[in-house]
């Protein structure tokens, strides 16, 4: 028995290597069971799908497999494969990532978040609303991950001010060493103090937690403790949820939206319905609706919303906690100091970025791109134009007197964003991931695999379109529980594009 357990442990430790070797061997019969070109392409697609879902290879590395496998298997020549990795859609997404780096560099996101929280108030339901609105707004222009990472430290500080933190009797340095040793011993990631509190109280063992509320235990009722714990949960859950919701409002908000745009251009070259402006008009109202429903649901579950509760007088404990939170938010906002020239410049360029993308070709009225040669100006041109300005626009207010003051220092003026900073902060792997999805779609189209799959799905032609959309939505939503949204969209969109040709006269309906 011991030998069997040891063998299982060894297999688990080497699971990535085993997947890399066994998955192609298991799927190899597909190459011979299907028509030659379609079978080879399906083999590559399924291998990449399994690697993406299991992360046997890093996601970006798996996205590079078409560059190797498609030419060797005779599916696509290398020049056609490699060109898919730098389409204009990729550059549109890249421009959004670089803009996010500039916003983060000058703490503009922090100023916006704190200002919104000051306006909405410090009651828990209002704070959750303020955090969700701010996170959703940032996520419209930045990636979901970046927006969440920016907002969590702010939420952490507010939670500490709401409930306080008892001074620990242990020496801080020694405690830090003990925590680090425990992390290494258990193979866990470092968890913030408030997350430790949640983890310890979720199972009903609050007495084992090292983090205690800054209130005497005998004076706090159980109901108040439970309320505090639920507010912690609601706060922390609201941020990633609102980031996911906000990312749906714009094309640059999340990678799947841009993958859809690229696939539409690949499968339906004459389709120019979807661009930044038309997508915003379609998705922004839905985003607001989902954000409202999400806020109401989180508030109902974790904070409690009742019309009678609004008329009740707040306890002294809650009133004191809210006063502390209000003071902390004001203090943090004051610590930012007056608005710097660089912040103003980044904000103006950010607004120009959004307005120019929206007004390029909004469809309901002629956009500014109509003044140029038709088809020459895309959203990528607009985004990259604004981004280039970030790399040379000065971060200090320019002065004409400096040129005539020969005693003035001749130090070099730093731009709003340096290339070194962009290299460090931009997640370049996502660009490769997008390219891998476009290369896969191109291979499916050129090999005839999409047509072959569409032929196998002919029985669905008799299914009502509304029911078909419902079934496909359920399947894909279930699939995203095990794989990333980006990988799921890359896998399913080529199949759905071919299916839409059979089921719908308006092909974009199913893909959306």
């Amino acid at each position: 028995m011991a030998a069997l357990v040891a063998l299982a442990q060894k297999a688990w430790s080497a699971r990535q290597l085993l997947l890399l070797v066994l998955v192609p061997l298991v799927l190899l019969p597909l190459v011979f069971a299907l028509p030659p070109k379609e079978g080879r392409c399906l083999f590559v697609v399924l291998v990449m799908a399994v690697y993406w879902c299991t992360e046997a290879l890093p996601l970006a590395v798996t996205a590079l497999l078409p560059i190797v496998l498609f030419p060797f298997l005779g599916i696509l020549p290398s020049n056609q494969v490699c060109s898919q990795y730098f389409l204009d859609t990729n550059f549109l997404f890249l421009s959004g990532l670089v803009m996010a780096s500039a916003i983060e560099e000058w703490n503009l996101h922090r100023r916006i978040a704190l200002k919104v929280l000051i306006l909405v108030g410090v009651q828990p339901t209002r704070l959750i609303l303020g955090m969700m609105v701010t996170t959703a707004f940032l996520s419209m222009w930045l990636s979901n991950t970046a927006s969440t990472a920016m907002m969590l430290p702010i939420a952490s500080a507010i939670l500490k001010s709401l409930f306080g933190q008892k001074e620990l009797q242990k020496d801080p340095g020694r405690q830090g060493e003990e925590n680090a040793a425990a992390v290494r011993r258990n193979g866990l990631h470092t968890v913030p103090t408030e997350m430790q509190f949640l983890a310890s109280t979720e199972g009903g063992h609050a007495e084992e937690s090292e983090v205690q509320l800054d209130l005497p235990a005998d004076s706090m009722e159980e109901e108040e403790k439970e309320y505090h714990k639920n507010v912690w949960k609601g706060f922390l859950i609201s941020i990633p949820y609102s980031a996911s919701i906000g990312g749906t409002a714009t094309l640059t908000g999340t990678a799947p939206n841009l993958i859809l745009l690229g696939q539409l251009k690949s499968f339906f070259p004459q389709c120019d319905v979807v661009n930044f402006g038309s997508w915003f008009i379609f998705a922004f109202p839905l985003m607001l609706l989902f954000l409202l429903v999400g806020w109401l649901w989180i508030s109902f579950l974790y904070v409690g919303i009742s019309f009678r509760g609004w008329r009740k007088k707040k306890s002294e404990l809650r009133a004191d906690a809210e006063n502390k939170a209000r003071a902390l938010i004001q203090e943090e906002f004051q610590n930012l100091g007056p608005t710097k020239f660089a912040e103003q410049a980044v904000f103006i360029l950010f607004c120009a970025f959004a307005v120019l993308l929206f007004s390029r070709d909004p469809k309901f009225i002629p956009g500014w791109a109509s003044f140029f040669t038709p088809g020459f100006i895309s959203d990528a041109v607009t985004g990259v134009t604004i981004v280039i300005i970030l790399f040379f626009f000065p971060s200090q207010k320019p002065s004409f007197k400096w040129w005539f003051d020969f005693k003035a220092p001749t130090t070099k003026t730093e731009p709003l964003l340096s290339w070194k900073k962009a290299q460090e902060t931009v997640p370049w792997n996502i660009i490769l991931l997008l390219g891998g999805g476009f290369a896969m779609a191109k291979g499916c189209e050129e090999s005839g695999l999409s047509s072959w799959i569409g032929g196998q799905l002919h029985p669905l032609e008799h299914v009502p379109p509304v029911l078909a959309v419902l079934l496909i939505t359920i399947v894909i939503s279930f699939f995203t529980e095990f794989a990333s949204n980006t990988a799921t969209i890359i896998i399913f969109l080529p199949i759905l594009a071919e299916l839409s040709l059979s089921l719908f006269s308006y092909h974009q309906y199913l893909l959306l």
Side-chain angles (χ1 to χ4, degrees):
M1 186 65 181
L4 187 61
V5 171
L7 182 62
Q9 291 176 341
K10 288 182 180 293
W12 179 253
S13 64
R15 62 189 182 279
Q16 290 184 320
L17 181 60
L18 292 175
L19 284 170
L20 287 174
V21 175
L22 294 178
V23 168
L25 294 177
V26 171
L27 296 176
L28 192 59
L30 290 174
V31 176
F32 307 101
L34 300 178
K37 210 168 184 180
E38 290 88 335
R40 293 194 295 268
C41 185
L42 182 60
F43 170 77
V44 175
V45 169
L46 292 180
V47 167
M48 293 178 65
V50 174
Y51 285 177
W52 267 326
C53 294
T54 60
E55 295 192 27
L57 284 174
L59 297 180
V61 176
T62 301
L64 296 174
L65 289 180
I67 298 178
V68 178
L69 297 179
F70 280 177
F72 272 120
L73 296 177
I75 298 171
L76 275 180
S78 62
N79 61 339
Q80 292 187 33
V81 179
C82 294
S83 62
Q84 301 299 312
Y85 287 80
F86 284 96
L87 299 175
D88 62 342
T89 306
N90 300 61
F91 281 97
L92 173 60
F93 193 59
L94 177 61
S95 65
L97 296 175
V98 175
M99 180 61 70
S101 297
I103 291 173
E104 186 178 3
E105 172 73 5
W106 295 104
N107 267 333
L108 182 59
H109 65 288
R110 190 173 183 84
R111 187 177 293 276
I112 294 173
L114 292 173
K115 188 64 178 177
V116 171
L117 293 177
I118 290 173
L119 293 175
V120 299
V122 294
Q123 292 179 0
T125 52
R126 292 185 179 183
L127 279 176
I128 290 175
L129 176 62
M131 296 298 294
M132 293 185 70
V133 168
T134 308
T135 307
F137 173 75
L138 292 175
S139 186
M140 287 168 58
W141 315 101
L142 318 179
S143 69
N144 298 347
T145 305
S147 303
T148 303
M150 289 176 178
M151 294 301 297
L152 278 176
I154 300 174
S156 171
I158 294 172
L159 286 169
K160 287 179 181 178
S161 70
L162 274 173
F163 304 133
Q165 183 173 333
K166 186 177 179 180
E167 293 290 336
L168 299 176
Q169 300 300 323
K170 296 183 178 180
D171 176 65
R174 182 179 176 185
Q175 182 193 2
E177 292 175 2
E178 290 178 358
N179 291 342
V183 166
R184 289 193 298 270
R185 183 170 59 252
N186 296 311
L188 301 173
H189 297 290
T190 304
V191 182
T193 304
E194 53 270 21
M195 295 300 290
Q196 292 174 351
F197 174 80
L198 283 178
S200 62
T201 53
E202 247 178 22
H205 303 286
E207 67 276 9
E208 297 176 6
S209 174
E210 291 185 354
V211 181
Q212 303 294 335
L213 302 179
D214 192 15
L215 292 166
D218 53 354
S219 66
M220 179 177 287
E221 301 176 356
E222 284 298 321
E223 182 181 351
E224 197 73 15
K225 287 184 179 181
E226 187 69 20
Y227 174 79
H228 288 177
K229 183 178 72 172
N230 287 334
V231 171
W232 279 87
K233 292 180 181 180
F235 239 85
L236 298 177
I237 287 175
S238 68
I239 294 175
Y241 268 73
S242 57
S244 298
I245 293 171
T248 62
T250 62
L251 278 178
T252 56
T254 185
N257 296 350
L258 287 168
I259 294 172
L260 168 66
L261 179 62
Q263 302 283 34
L264 285 174
K265 291 180 178 179
S266 175
F267 284 98
F268 312 106
Q270 305 303 319
C271 172
D272 62 345
V273 175
V274 178
N275 59 32
F276 191 93
S278 61
W279 179 273
F280 184 84
I281 294 171
F282 158 73
F284 183 71
L286 293 176
M287 186 274 288
L288 292 179
L289 175 62
F290 295 150
L291 193 66
L292 175 62
V293 172
W295 170 65
L296 291 174
W297 184 244
I298 290 174
S299 299
F300 173 75
L301 284 181
Y302 296 107
V303 182
I305 295 181
S306 67
F307 294 103
R308 288 184 301 173
W310 289 349
R311 301 191 191 100
K312 287 172 62 178
K313 185 178 179 181
K314 288 181 290 189
S315 67
E316 291 184 8
L317 296 177
R318 294 189 186 181
D320 183 56
E322 290 177 8
N323 289 334
K324 288 181 180 179
R326 185 182 296 108
L328 174 78
I329 295 171
Q330 291 284 358
E331 181 184 355
E332 290 290 327
F333 189 77
Q334 293 297 327
N335 289 341
L336 292 175
T339 306
K340 304 179 184 67
F341 174 80
E343 289 182 70
Q344 296 174 355
V346 170
F347 181 74
I348 291 172
L349 289 174
F350 170 69
C351 292
F353 178 83
V355 171
L356 290 176
L357 282 174
F358 178 78
S359 60
R360 182 187 68 84
D361 185 18
K363 299 302 179 185
F364 59 90
I365 57 172
W368 59 264
S370 60
F371 295 106
F372 299 89
T373 307
F376 275 55
I377 306 295
S378 68
D379 288 333
V381 176
T382 308
V384 173
T385 300
I386 299 297
V387 160
I388 289 175
I389 298 175
L390 293 171
F391 290 100
F392 69 81
F393 198 87
S395 58
Q396 301 293 330
K397 188 175 182 179
S399 173
F400 290 103
K401 294 180 180 179
W402 178 82
W403 291 95
F404 304 102
D405 186 0
F406 298 106
K407 295 182 180 180
T410 56
T411 55
K412 180 182 176 183
T413 303
E414 294 296 325
L416 292 173
L417 185 66
S418 65
W419 181 248
K420 181 180 179 182
K421 179 66 176 179
Q423 282 183 307
E424 294 173 352
T425 56
V426 171
W428 301 96
N429 58 319
I430 298 181
I431 305 299
L432 295 178
L433 191 59
L434 287 176
F438 297 147
M440 179 191 287
K442 188 69 173 177
C444 292
E445 182 184 1
E446 294 293 328
S447 67
L449 177 62
S450 297
S451 301
W452 181 84
I453 293 176
Q456 306 305 309
L457 297 175
H458 273 310
L460 290 178
E461 292 181 6
H462 306 292
V463 177
V466 175
L467 180 59
V469 170
L470 177 62
L471 292 175
I472 291 169
T473 302
I474 292 173
V475 170
I476 293 179
S477 299
F478 177 77
F479 200 82
T480 57
E481 298 298 319
F482 308 98
S484 70
N485 295 346
T486 304
T488 302
I489 291 298
I490 290 172
I491 295 167
F492 279 96
L493 270 187
I495 300 172
L496 297 180
E498 190 63 37
L499 181 61
S500 67
L501 294 173
S502 305
L503 290 181
F504 303 102
S505 56
Y506 183 63
H507 310 310
Q508 293 84 1
Y509 178 59
L510 184 60
L511 299 183
L512 288 173

